[in-house]
């Protein structure tokens, strides 16, 4: 099958490298026959077989496990991937360290919300405090589109350097903040930019080294977020008690800076960068117009973006207010922070198991099950038994285990329907949409909580559960669009 080379929409006004119109070929191709070349590598001791198979374009999507193997692996069957080796595993470790800083901070900013709500901003309504963290999420996800596009063209190192500097400076300033506008400038904007510049390079580089095991390896790398989620709440609780708030935040900043340095040293992309000859202003404009409107015309990618938005909002709502939920039910600050750590302890096996199983039974299949189960866990534990300490810990373990698949599999599901060399751009586009969802969802939860009563917090739980349940439904729709209604297909 010959593919025609067509530029992206943005190339009409700005300088863009030429891209392949692969979505038209896959989704809207007329039902004509084509020759599909596949090389099957058998187990040790068996010969390598070259198989030429003539198949219909209508049968490439949504059949049995064997027939949908190419669909399961995604859009890059024509590329070769190392699938291992010292360099590949070094990159995974570098990504792991970078995501300790980026996702670890994202997973545990609830400790900052709980502390400032009871101290610096104790006289500020919870709905107003919520804007500090919703703007942080908005800025973080919004800058992902810039970082993803830059990563596609220039590699991972510079976005990591920018992200590391912004995070370090923002956290150092956060230690001296006493007013809400100061927290917005230092944490929401500076640290948000730093976090947004880190995600696409860290996961995008791993995707360049693995294909068949991409889900598992991305899960290993993103375990850095769980490690940060375990260590940081315990560490900060001790630091808040033994040193001042200001020095606790500064020590936090130095630890995050160290993680970024390791990531910068170890991470290096494998695929060639996309380059184009253009002027400075055209280059800047190309970043502004890098939103992938063409990709959103495809229903599978559109529903994946919406599903990702609902998943991120559901998880971040709970992550922001989980500690405060415990405090509202009369438990100590130590117990509240411990619950956050327990959540991420449960998240580690959740990430690994879901990552491994996603490569076996399908990435979409796993994320559909885990998001729906997450909503069930929240409703059946916190609503009837939220005032019991044992129920809080049971919820933390189960919620962490179920949502452990969310962060690693969101980019993997996006990558499965995208070309590897375009992953950074599509990842950024997806999180550009997520940004607006997060900007709205967290303040809505803050308004639902209201005066901080137990009923308000339980209503917040319902809001989070319904949101993440909607994510599972949207992923199911995206899968059905892709496999043409075959719900039980491996995908």
């Amino acid at each position: 099958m010959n593919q025609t080379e067509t530029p992206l929409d943005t190339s009409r006004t700005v300088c863009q490298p030429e891209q392949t119109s692969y979505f038209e070929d896959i989704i809207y191709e007329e039902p004509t026959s084509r020759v599909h070349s596949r090389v099957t590598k058998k187990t040790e001791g068996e010969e390598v077989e070259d198989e030429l198979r003539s198949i219909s374009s209508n049968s490439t999507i949504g059949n049995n496990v064997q027939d949908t193997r190419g669909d399961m692996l995604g859009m890059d069957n024509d590329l070769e991937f190392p699938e291992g080796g010292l360099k590949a595993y070094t990159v995974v470790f570098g990504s792991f360290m970078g995501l300790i800083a980026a996702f670890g901070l994202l997973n545990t900013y609830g400790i900052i919300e709980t502390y400032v709500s009871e101290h610096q901003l104790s006289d500020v309504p919870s709905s107003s405090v919520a804007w500090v963290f919703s703007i942080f999420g908005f800025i973080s996800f919004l800058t992902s589109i810039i970082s993803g596009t830059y990563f596609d063209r220039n590699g991972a190192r510079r976005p990591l350097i920018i992200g590391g500097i912004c995070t370090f400076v923002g956290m150092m300033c956060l230690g001296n903040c006493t007013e809400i506008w100061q927290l917005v400038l230092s944490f929401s904007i500076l640290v948000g930019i730093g976090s947004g510049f880190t995600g696409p390079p860290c996961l995008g580089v791993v995707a360049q080294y693995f294909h068949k095991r991409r889900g598992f390896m991305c899960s290993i790398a993103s375990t850095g977020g769980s490690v940060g989620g375990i260590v940081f709440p315990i560490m900060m609780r001790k630091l808040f008690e033994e040193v001042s708030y200001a020095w606790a935040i500064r020590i936090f900043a130095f630890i995050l800076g160290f993680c970024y340095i390791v990531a910068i040293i170890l991470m290096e992309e494998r695929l060639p960068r996309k380059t184009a000859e253009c002027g400075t202003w055209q280059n800047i404009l190309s970043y502004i117009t890098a939103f992938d409107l063409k990709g959103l015309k495809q229903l599978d990618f559109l529903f994946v973006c919406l599903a990702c938005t609902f998943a991120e909002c559901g998880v971040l709502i709970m992550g922001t207010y989980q500690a405060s939920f415990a405090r509202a039910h009369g438990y100590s600050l130590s117990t509240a922070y411990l619950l956050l750590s327990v959540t991420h302890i449960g998240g580690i096996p959740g990430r690994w198991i879901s990552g491994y199983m996603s490569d076996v039974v399908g990435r979409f299949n796993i994320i559909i099950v885990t998001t729906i189960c997450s909503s069930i866990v929240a409703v059946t534990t916190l609503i009837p038994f939220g005032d019991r300490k044992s129920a809080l810990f049971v919820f933390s373990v189960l919620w962490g285990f179920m949502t452990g698949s969310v962060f690693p599999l969101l980019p993997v599901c996006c990558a499965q329907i995208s070309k590897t060399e375009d992953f950074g751009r599509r990842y950024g586009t997806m999180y550009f949409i997520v940004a607006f969802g997060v900007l709205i969802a967290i303040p809505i939860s803050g308004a639902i909580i209201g005066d901080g009563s137990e009923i308000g917090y339980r209503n917040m739980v319902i809001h989070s559960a319904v949101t993440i349940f909607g994510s599972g439904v949207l992923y199911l729709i995206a899968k059905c669009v892709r496999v043409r209604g075959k719900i039980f297909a491996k995908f």
Side-chain angles (χ1 to χ4, degrees), residues 1-5 20-21 24-25 29 32-35:
M1 178 179 65
N2 294 325
Q3 290 181 324
T4 57
E5 295 291 324
T20 302
S21 181
E24 289 86 338
D25 292 332
E29 183 182 4
T32 57
S33 297
R34 63 186 176 88
V35 175

Side-chain angles (χ1 to χ4, degrees), residues 386-400:
D387 56 346
R388 300 182 185 180
K389 191 173 184 178
S390 58
L392 293 178
F393 280 97
V394 169
F395 164 78
S396 297
V397 173
L398 294 178
W399 176 266

Side-chain angles (χ1 to χ4, degrees), residues 195-468:
S195 178
F197 265 88
T198 306
C202 285
L203 292 172
V205 170
V206 174
Q208 292 186 2
Y209 286 85
F210 297 92
H211 195 194
K212 297 177 183 178
R213 297 193 296 160
R214 181 177 293 169
F216 182 61
M217 287 301 166
C218 284
S219 296
I220 294 294
S222 63
T223 303
S226 289
V227 171
I230 294 168
V231 175
F232 292 156
I234 298 173
M235 177 191 75
M236 295 303 290
R237 178 182 64 83
K238 294 293 291 182
L239 290 175
F240 286 152
E241 293 175 355
E242 297 181 3
V243 300
S244 65
Y245 166 82
W247 271 107
I249 296 297
R250 290 166 191 159
I251 293 171
F252 196 6
F254 280 112
I255 293 172
L256 297 177
F258 172 77
C259 293
Y260 276 117
I261 291 172
V262 175
I264 291 167
I265 293 172
L266 297 182
M267 288 176 57
E268 182 179 349
E269 66 279 358
R270 183 182 68 90
L271 295 180
R273 303 169 182 176
K274 299 178 183 179
T275 57
E277 296 295 332
C278 58
T280 302
W281 287 108
Q282 286 180 317
N283 192 33
I284 295 174
L285 185 61
S286 70
Y287 285 95
I288 300 174
T289 58
F291 191 71
D292 195 1
L293 292 176
K294 189 174 184 180
L296 291 175
K297 294 178 182 179
Q298 311 305 321
L299 290 179
D300 56 352
F301 182 59
L302 174 62
F303 280 110
V304 163
C305 290
L306 294 176
C308 179
T309 302
F310 275 69
E312 289 281 5
C313 289
V315 174
L316 290 178
I317 288 168
M318 189 63 69
T320 302
Y321 294 111
Q322 184 180 0
S324 296
F325 180 94
R327 293 286 288 162
H329 286 77
Y331 294 101
S332 66
L333 192 63
S334 177
T335 299
Y337 285 1
L338 183 59
L339 288 171
L340 292 176
S341 296
V342 170
T343 298
H344 296 292
I345 290 174
I348 291 180
R351 288 172 187 263
W352 289 353
I353 294 173
S354 63
Y356 174 78
M357 292 301 297
S358 71
D359 293 331
V360 175
V361 302
R363 289 94 186 239
F364 278 73
N365 293 339
I366 292 296
I367 201 167
I368 289 167
V369 171
T370 54
T371 49
I372 292 176
C373 288
S374 297
S375 65
I376 295 173
V377 166
V379 172
T380 56
T381 55
L382 293 186
I383 301 301
F385 308 113
D387 56 346
R388 300 182 185 180
K389 191 173 184 178
S390 58
L392 293 178
F393 280 97
V394 169
F395 164 78
S396 297
V397 173
L398 294 178
W399 176 266
F401 182 85
M402 292 299 175
T403 59
S405 68
V406 172
F407 287 122
L409 286 184
L410 292 179
V412 172
C413 289
C414 176
Q416 185 165 330
I417 59 173
S418 306
K419 282 282 189 181
T420 296
E421 61 267 24
D422 293 317
F423 168 74
R425 186 169 182 263
R426 285 187 167 268
Y427 177 91
T429 300
M430 182 172 69
Y431 274 92
F432 181 83
I433 297 173
V434 171
F436 290 92
V438 172
L439 183 65
I440 298 171
I442 296 179
I444 289 176
S445 287
I448 290 173
I449 292 170
D451 59 358
S453 64
E454 293 184 10
I455 294 177
Y457 274 101
R458 294 192 184 191
N459 290 335
M460 176 274 297
V461 171
I462 296 174
H463 180 215
S464 176
V466 170
T467 302
I468 200 167

